Amino acid sequence: MSEQIKIKDVTPVKIHKPEESANYSARSRIYVRAVEGMLENIRRFFGLIFLGLFAVIPWIQYNGNQAVLFDIGEQRFNIFAMTLWPQDLTILAYIFIVSAFALFFVTTFAGRVWCGFMCPQTTWTFIYIWFEEKIEGSRNKRMKLDERKMDADKFIRKTLKHFAWVSVALLTAITFVGYFTPIDALFVDFFTLDVGFWAGFSIIFFTVCTYGNAGYMREIMCTHICPYARFQSAMFDKDTFTVAYDPSRGEQRGPRSRKIPHEQLEEKGLGDCIDCNLCVQVCPTGIDIRNGLQYECINCGACVDACNGVMDKMGYEKGLISFTSEHQLSGGTTKIIRPKLIGYAVVLLIMTSLLVLDIYTRAPLEIDIIKDRNSLYRETNQGLIENVYTLKLLNKSQNDRTFTVSISGIEGAKYVGESVVNVRGGGVYTLPISVVTSPYSLTEEVTNFTFHVETQDENGEIIKIQETSRFIFTDV
């Protein structure tokens, strides 16, 4: 009872907010200021790569077909040399699981960098902001333009801006729909008004969504709709790298002359922050990073570049706002290797290995057997018993293959129908056949037997699969 109870100081820290005005109201539009810097260049680099891949991939051809095509109508996904069918649900599940754990791993290590550097919402939002800057001017000019009454200049600028927005949204929608229907015909059919109903509806729908999300909703998608902002804290720890402000160095903040030597700041009770609010003005979600870690922060690093630029002009050391960890801010050392990160890495490695193994061991052909439901069996003129089947032969490769079909398991049974068929790459061949045998060779009402299908791959190796079915005769 003599031990002293440790008490933690929970005195609330003074929160510094920008002056109250419509520009910073949660329900008013955020005017994002342009910024230059290393992180901004990295973000643009990744954004251009993502945008380029998104635009180019559906135009790539493989073996005379669209290399990536998710054909929902035909229930097959073509990804270069691989064709996925509904039977390949495990591969799709593995892909989603690997993607999820990769996101968890990256978030644990470097925070919400996916949102800031690769998320389509962020990429398209910055594209729209770029058009705003080129057509309407800088942040201050855009604010003054919106305050003006409508005149010829304002009308022209607004019209050009929205025309550019709609054009980007339309091209985005057509490209996206092009992943689900052949894109070369889609472009021609859409602009000649010959497109199908669902393709046309999808293009209009995604055009409106892109225009609304990137043009108007912007930060609302990140702060109120996207669930990632809500559960990301479960993956954070004190060693997670995230954008943060160093209050021990920046406080007390306040304006000052550049002529004041840095060494005299402490005598005046000032930190390195000059309270210019540029970190707020460049933030696409409109937050003040100096208030601490906030779920609205997307880790785009715009405030880091803005602050570094100010520090450079003032002659101060950069890094007042930086990618850092809670441990490092408190004077400790960031632990890169830690149990949570190792756990995510191990699970990611296991799931990736299972995905690769599933793809590697996946047979390039498959057979579905459909028993005739109209007649369980019938007796032929020769007194033989016949069962009718429909075989669905799936060629999962992108190359045309020759399949050979045979049966085993019933003594004296005869296979009636085509035994050698050619199936186009990524196609399905419907093969009606029948199996006949003498009733004296059947000892049970239901006899199991096996269909065998074999083919050769590009290297001449034999690939075989088999599927069990049932032969029915009730007068045994």
Side-chain angles (χ1 to χ4, degrees):
M1 298 296 293
S2 61
E3 293 183 7
Q4 183 178 3
I5 300 176
K6 295 182 179 180
I7 300 176
K8 183 178 181 180
D9 185 7
V10 293
T11 304
V13 180
K14 181 182 178 182
I15 295 178
H16 298 263
K17 293 184 178 181
E19 296 180 1
E20 293 294 334
S21 68
N23 300 327
Y24 298 103
S25 172
R27 295 184 180 180
S28 297
R29 179 181 174 188
I30 296 174
Y31 295 87
V32 181
R33 186 188 186 107
V35 63
E36 296 291 338
M38 181 185 69
L39 293 176
E40 177 66 11
N41 292 335
I42 294 175
R43 187 194 60 75
R44 290 178 182 178
F45 174 76
F46 280 105
L48 288 174
I49 289 179
F50 171 81
L51 188 62
L53 289 175
F54 171 77
V56 170
I57 285 177
W59 293 98
I60 298 175
Q61 297 291 307
Y62 184 83
N63 284 342
N65 299 311
Q66 187 169 320
V68 178
L69 180 62
F70 307 126
D71 195 334
I72 297 177
E74 295 292 333
Q75 297 185 354
R76 68 183 182 190
F77 292 173
N78 291 336
I79 306 176
F80 289 91
M82 182 172 61
T83 300
L84 300 180
W85 298 85
Q87 295 89 336
D88 298 311
L89 180 62
T90 54
I91 293 181
L92 293 176
Y94 281 137
I95 291 174
F96 288 132
I97 293 173
V98 168
S99 300
F101 276 98
L103 181 64
F104 298 160
F105 176 82
V106 172
T107 302
T108 302
F109 177 74
R112 205 174 165 184
V113 290
W114 159 260
C115 296
F117 290 85
M118 290 291 290
C119 177
Q121 176 69 21
T122 303
T123 301
W124 264 257
T125 295
F126 276 108
I127 290 174
Y128 274 39
I129 292 175
W130 183 84
F131 277 106
E132 279 186 339
E133 293 173 351
K134 296 303 178 182
I135 296 173
E136 295 184 353
S138 64
R139 176 179 180 271
N140 291 334
K141 290 181 179 180
R142 297 200 304 272
M143 294 169 63
K144 292 180 180 179
L145 182 67
D146 286 347
E147 293 173 356
R148 279 166 41 189
K149 293 182 179 180
M150 184 62 68
D151 54 24
D153 177 67
K154 182 175 180 178
F155 178 79
I156 293 174
R157 291 181 183 274
K158 291 293 183 181
T159 301
L160 287 175
K161 181 186 75 172
H162 288 283
F163 175 78
W165 283 5
V166 172
S167 300
V168 172
L170 181 61
L171 290 175
T172 300
I174 296 177
T175 303
F176 180 75
V177 176
Y179 280 86
F180 301 91
T181 187
I183 193 170
D184 49 356
L186 180 65
F187 260 85
V188 176
D189 291 343
F190 181 80
F191 289 106
T192 58
L193 303 180
D194 194 31
V195 69
F197 171 78
W198 286 113
F201 173 80
S202 299
I203 290 174
I204 299 301
F205 175 78
F206 288 111
T207 298
V208 173
C209 288
T210 304
Y211 175 77
N213 288 345
Y216 292 96
M217 299 186 70
R218 294 187 178 178
E219 77 283 351
I220 295 177
M221 290 293 299
C222 302
T223 59
H224 297 294
I225 298 178
C226 178
Y228 183 48
R230 303 295 178 176
F231 68 76
Q232 63 168 329
S233 58
M235 292 167 274
F236 277 37
D237 56 36
K238 293 185 177 181
D239 293 300
T240 298
F241 287 100
T242 186
V243 174
Y245 165 75
D246 187 355
S248 63
R249 175 186 161 188
E251 303 298 325
Q252 293 287 331
R253 65 185 80 163
R256 79 289 307 272
S257 171
R258 294 186 190 180
K259 298 179 180 180
I260 300 178
H262 187 264
E263 295 77 13
Q264 297 181 9
L265 293 182
E266 188 175 350
E267 299 176 4
K268 296 180 176 294
L270 293 174
D272 284 357
C273 179
I274 67 173
D275 206 17
C276 62
N277 278 338
L278 285 182
C279 57
V280 180
Q281 296 175 14
V282 300
C283 180
T285 58
I287 65 170
D288 189 342
I289 194 62
R290 296 171 296 181
N291 293 337
L293 180 64
Q294 299 153 75
Y295 76 88
E296 297 94 342
C297 177
I298 62 173
N299 273 22
C300 65
C303 56
V304 177
D305 285 333
C307 187
N308 283 342
V310 173
M311 294 296 102
D312 191 48
K313 291 178 181 178
M314 296 295 297
Y316 300 165
E317 182 183 356
K318 297 180 180 180
L320 178 60
I321 301 176
S322 63
F323 271 92
T324 186
S325 66
E326 187 176 343
H327 272 156
Q328 194 166 342
L329 280 177
S330 60
T333 303
T334 303
K335 298 179 181 178
I336 302 297
I337 307 300
R338 51 194 188 273
K340 181 187 287 188
L341 199 63
I342 294 175
Y344 282 134
V346 170
V347 175
L348 179 61
L349 180 62
I350 293 174
M351 300 311 299
T352 303
S353 301
L354 291 175
L355 171 61
V356 173
L357 180 63
D358 199 352
I359 294 176
Y360 180 76
T361 59
R362 174 176 176 267
L365 66 151
E366 187 170 317
I367 178 173
D368 287 339
I369 304 170
I370 304 173
K371 180 75 170 64
D372 186 9
R373 299 180 182 273
N374 295 324
S375 176
L376 294 179
Y377 69 93
R378 71 182 184 89
E379 187 174 351
T380 67
N381 295 332
Q382 292 79 24
L384 301 176
I385 305 303
E386 179 182 44
N387 278 205
V388 178
Y389 304 86
T390 300
L391 308 183
K392 296 283 188 178
L393 302 175
L394 281 71
N395 183 0
K396 293 183 177 181
S397 71
Q398 292 295 315
N399 300 315
D400 296 348
R401 294 278 176 85
T402 299
F403 291 174
T404 303
V405 186
S406 60
I407 61 172
S408 66
I410 302 178
E411 184 179 356
K414 183 180 179 181
Y415 175 95
V416 180
E418 291 183 89
S419 59
V420 179
V421 296
N422 294 318
V423 185
R424 62 183 176 84
V428 181
Y429 190 93
T430 301
L431 179 63
I433 62 99
S434 61
V435 177
V436 295
T437 188
S438 170
Y440 302 107
S441 63
L442 301 172
T443 58
E444 297 179 350
E445 291 185 350
V446 178
T447 303
N448 291 330
F449 71 104
T450 304
F451 281 96
H452 301 272
V453 182
E454 66 177 51
T455 186
Q456 289 184 341
D457 62 12
E458 291 78 4
N459 299 322
E461 296 183 5
I462 301 297
I463 302 172
K464 297 181 180 180
I465 63 168
Q466 61 184 35
E467 191 72 29
T468 301
S469 188
R470 297 183 300 170
F471 191 95
I472 299 176
F473 178 51
T474 58
D475 293 340
V476 175

